[in-house]
Amino acid sequence: MNTDKRKVVLIGTGMVGMSFAYALVNQGGICNELVLIDVNKARANGEAMDLNHGLAFAKSNMRIYAGDYKDCKDADIVVIAAGVAQKEGETRLDLLQRNTEVFRSIINPVIKSGFDGIFLVATNPVDIMTRVTYELSRFGASRVIGTGTSLDTARLRYLLGDYFTVDPKNIHAYVIGEHGDSEFVPLSQVMLATKSVSEILADEKNDYKIEDMQSIEEQVRTAAYKIIEAKRATYYGIGMAITRIIKAILGDENSVLTVSAKLCGEYDSKNVFIGVPCIIGRNGVKEIVELSLTEEEKAKFQKSRQVLEDNFNGLEL
Ligand code: NAD
């Protein structure tokens, strides 16, 4: 992988892709070259012009241009946000077959370019699209990552921080499983600083209630549906989640983020790509962090894994 230049190619310059690009430019210093590719070339061109016109106000300089698949050759990361957006009432899994065809038309030319970096997938249903990327690219699993439950985890930490009136940065909690209806929060693993939230809830001296945790979990699970109902699509949050993952990779941070990664025996599961806390660095997934789940949480995880397995198995690749 290239070390002195940090080059990212974005495929799919729709709302999600461009929210990511906008966050990347504004946060500054994460990469110095950004290539925009879309089946709608005029759109990619217009977006490159628009972003470039903001560079005078940005923290650091970047080379931004609309490009082609051959530009993936020396890229560090290819981000895929191309596809069809989720419609009102439509589940993420309904999108599967349509987006698989889109991916076939993307992965093949990326590989043909000689690309040898890391794939980061945001297109829904993200866990399955990440596995499709893995199968089509034949890259090592550590170099194929999905955004997984990174956004859901950010939503959870925000809501818990608000509930306990604590900075979300001091709330350690994860949403794991499918980025979708079967995702869940292992409550046994939720910490306020280093204190277990289960312990806090059991303490009769305060008014915190287990039902409120269940309500927060439900709010996280249904957040995308609510946003889509109100404004047709979600994009800012996921754009910032993609930016965060890229920063962890290019900065070799070894940060823990809940991305979609391939399990190889962790959580008693194999082959599936699913949202779990992972240590993310320059070479992608360095390690999958295996949480000590309760028996009930293990059952929820297996249920979520099965949803992903069933959907993947029904797919013609
Ligand atoms: P959008 O319709 O605004 O943008 C999609 C873009 O993909 C368009 O510009 C389109 O021209 C392009 N495209 C379509 N087919 C292509 C192809 N074959 N090659 C190259 N480009 C192609 O949609 P959006 O709102 O940006 O959403 C994009 C995806 O992100 C959807 O699948 C959506 O469900 C998903 N999403 C994921 C998360 C998450 O948490 N992972 C959150 C929100 C949205």
Side-chain angles (χ1 to χ4, degrees):
M1 190 184 285
N2 202 326
T3 49
D4 47 2
K5 183 173 57 137
R6 284 157 293 138
K7 177 175 177 178
V8 175
V9 174
L10 166 66
I11 302 172
T13 58
M15 296 309 292
V16 169
M18 290 318 297
S19 298
F20 150 65
Y22 188 63
L24 190 72
V25 170
N26 276 295
Q27 291 189 23
I30 298 173
C31 79
N32 41 30
E33 192 169 338
L34 175 66
V35 186
L36 307 180
I37 298 177
D38 199 287
V39 72
N40 180 345
K41 287 191 176 163
R43 183 174 190 169
N45 268 319
E47 294 290 4
M49 282 173 74
D50 203 0
L51 271 187
N52 274 322
H53 298 166
L55 275 180
F57 309 115
K59 273 190 199 159
S60 57
N61 207 0
M62 261 170 89
R63 198 175 157 230
I64 305 168
Y65 56 96
D68 211 329
Y69 283 104
K70 63 179 179 341
D71 294 306
C72 297
K73 183 178 166 48
D74 60 344
D76 297 295
I77 303 173
V78 164
V79 175
I80 309 179
V84 203
Q86 197 173 2
K87 291 179 194 152
E88 198 176 322
E90 186 180 46
T91 68
R92 293 188 181 95
L93 296 176
D94 290 336
L95 292 171
L96 176 58
Q97 200 62 52
R98 284 194 284 156
N99 280 334
T100 298
E101 296 317 313
V102 169
F103 269 44
R104 207 185 301 281
S105 74
I106 290 172
I107 308 293
N108 293 342
V110 170
I111 298 300
K112 232 177 167 176
S113 76
F115 173 63
D116 191 27
I118 293 170
F119 277 107
L120 177 57
V121 179
T123 305
N124 276 323
V126 71
D127 303 288
I128 296 174
M129 296 322 299
T130 309
R131 189 164 174 185
V132 166
T133 304
Y134 169 76
E135 298 288 345
L136 294 177
S137 69
R138 300 184 180 272
F139 272 26
S142 60
R143 295 200 287 136
V144 183
I145 304 173
T147 51
T149 44
S150 54
L151 173 59
D152 318 67
T153 293
R155 285 174 178 149
L156 173 70
R157 292 175 72 194
Y158 158 71
L159 289 171
L160 288 173
D162 192 45
Y163 181 74
F164 289 110
T165 329
V166 167
D167 185 338
K169 291 189 188 72
N170 298 117
I171 300 285
H172 300 284
Y174 302 109
V175 177
I176 62 172
E178 171 206 6
H179 171 61
D181 299 341
S182 68
E183 68 183 29
F184 71 101
V185 179
L187 188 61
S188 70
Q189 304 296 307
V190 178
M191 301 282 166
L192 193 162
T194 57
K195 190 161 175 146
S196 157
V197 159
S198 303
E199 208 181 303
I200 295 171
L201 293 173
D203 185 345
E204 286 170 3
K205 281 203 297 270
N206 60 53
D207 290 336
Y208 301 127
K209 296 186 197 71
I210 182 92
E211 298 82 58
D212 295 334
M213 296 298 107
Q214 287 153 356
S215 156
I216 286 174
E217 183 179 25
E218 190 57 18
Q219 284 176 60
V220 170
R221 194 181 294 118
T222 55
Y225 292 112
K226 289 226 168 82
I227 298 171
I228 289 167
E229 206 181 302
K231 51 173 267 189
R232 296 182 44 195
T234 81
Y235 33 88
Y236 298 132
I238 184 62
M240 292 177 78
I242 298 169
T243 309
R244 178 69 193 92
I245 297 166
I246 293 218
K247 187 167 168 278
I249 296 170
L250 294 178
D252 197 19
E253 287 182 5
N254 293 325
S255 292
V256 176
L257 297 165
T258 39
V259 296
S260 192
K262 185 183 180 220
L263 299 186
C264 300
E266 301 86 357
Y267 298 92
D268 290 326
S269 308
K270 274 188 184 155
N271 301 324
V272 71
F273 278 75
I274 191 165
V276 281
C278 294
I279 301 174
I280 305 292
R282 197 68 171 89
N283 296 311
V285 176
K286 189 176 170 194
E287 200 180 313
I288 290 171
V289 180
E290 200 169 351
L291 303 173
S292 308
L293 302 181
T294 63
E295 289 307 313
E296 195 187 333
E297 290 162 356
K298 279 182 189 167
K300 283 186 187 169
F301 189 88
Q302 288 306 324
K303 212 173 131 201
S304 193
R305 181 194 61 77
Q306 197 60 52
V307 168
L308 293 172
E309 203 66 71
D310 291 348
N311 279 279
F312 180 80
N313 289 339
L315 191 64
E316 272 182 43
L317 268 185

